[in-house]
């Protein structure tokens, strides 16, 4: 299930696409990777989304990033992400 979602979202990461839409696509890619058990891919996508996040998006993304980090047993980083 993750592969079709990732394929559909990839064009939204292209140069020239609205930054807000790119952030949302990265978040969805991260959540999709996390749900499919691809924790490291989830961490990368969610870290990128978090780095560019608007203040209102940060709590939601911090939680998702914490979950992704925990899924790959990066416990200290997960705790720090939850605290963001």
């Amino acid at each position: 299930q993750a592969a079709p979602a990732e394929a559909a979202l990839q064009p939204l990461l292209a140069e020239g696409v609205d930054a807000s839409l790119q952030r949302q696509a990265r978040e969805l890619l991260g959540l999709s990777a996390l749900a499919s058990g691809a924790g490291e891919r989830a961490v990368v996508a969610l870290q990128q989304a978090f780095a560019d996040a608007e203040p209102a998006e940060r709590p939601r993304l911090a939680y998702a990033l914490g979950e992704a980090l925990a899924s790959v047993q990066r416990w200290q980083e997960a705790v720090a992400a939850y605290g963001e």
Side-chain angles (χ1 to χ4, degrees), residues 4-69:
E6 291 176 13
L9 291 167
Q10 284 301 324
L12 299 176
L13 302 176
E15 190 172 319
V17 174
D18 179 71
S20 175
L21 192 53
Q22 286 185 345
R23 281 194 311 272
Q24 292 173 32
R26 281 191 200 95
E27 179 181 2
L28 290 172
L29 282 169
L31 293 174
S32 176
L34 182 59
S36 69
E40 288 295 342
R41 278 198 343 255
V43 168
V44 170
L46 291 167
Q47 282 176 328
Q48 290 173 341
F50 185 81
D52 297 333
E54 297 291 329
E57 300 170 327
R58 293 179 72 79
R60 181 185 71 245
L61 288 166
Y63 179 82
L65 179 57
E67 291 293 295
L69 289 162

